[in-house]
Amino acid sequence: MLKRSKQREAILRELCSRCDHPTADELYTQLRKTMPSISLGTVYRNLALLSNEGMILKISCGAADHFDGNPKPHYHFSCTNCGRVYDLDMPVHSELEAEAAEHTDFTIQTHALIFYGKCRNCTTTKS
């Protein structure tokens, strides 16, 4: 269990209030509005701690890691054009773990799935 800190609680609160899967830099920019003394290093360290504890998700896709305040299993979509990450409202197929286990001698505990393509905004925007 993590020790309580004002910064960590503010980071977690901010992340859980959002559904846009921000990067550490985006969280830092937002948090500076109410906590001007918070450092970017503090944001990065706390995101790593929260992720390691399973309290948040770290989504590694594209140029920067994105973070999700919802740690429950669910799928994501990453736009290859703008880099945004979205939740997909669809059931998690846990049978994929058993199917994958048939092809290896590893012990599979869970899985993460990210779909890639262009989001609605990038598809409708003329480039």
Side-chain angles (χ1 to χ4, degrees):
M1 186 69 178
L2 292 176
K3 194 169 83 170
R4 289 178 56 132
S5 81
K6 281 186 197 180
Q7 292 93 345
R8 189 173 305 120
E9 289 176 7
I11 291 166
L12 186 58
R13 186 173 43 254
E14 177 63 28
L15 185 58
C16 289
S17 74
R18 301 172 66 146
C19 59
D20 62 343
H21 305 79
T23 63
D25 290 343
E26 290 168 337
L27 278 171
Y28 169 71
T29 299
Q30 186 62 36
L31 289 162
R32 289 274 317 223
K33 294 176 183 177
T34 56
M35 300 181 85
S37 64
I38 196 167
S39 72
L40 183 57
T42 296
V43 172
Y44 272 98
R45 277 190 304 280
N46 280 284
L47 288 171
L49 283 170
L50 292 166
S51 175
N52 289 339
E53 288 291 317
M55 298 173 72
I56 65 171
L57 291 178
K58 177 180 170 183
I59 305 164
S60 299
C61 60
D65 291 333
H66 293 257
F67 296 90
D68 189 343
N70 176 10
K72 295 179 182 159
H74 62 284
Y75 297 137
H76 293 97
F77 174 87
S78 176
C79 181
T80 56
N81 192 56
C82 68
R84 289 191 179 104
V85 177
Y86 301 88
D87 286 334
L88 287 183
D89 186 19
M90 64 182 280
V92 172
H93 297 285
S94 56
E95 66 273 6
L96 283 175
E97 294 154 15
E99 185 176 336
E102 293 175 8
H103 299 277
T104 184
D105 60 353
F106 303 143
T107 301
I108 297 176
Q109 298 171 326
T110 188
H111 72 277
L113 185 59
I114 302 172
F115 294 89
Y116 295 90
K118 284 190 178 180
C119 68
R120 183 180 309 120
N121 290 339
C122 292
T123 303
T124 59
T125 304
K126 305 250 186 221
S127 300

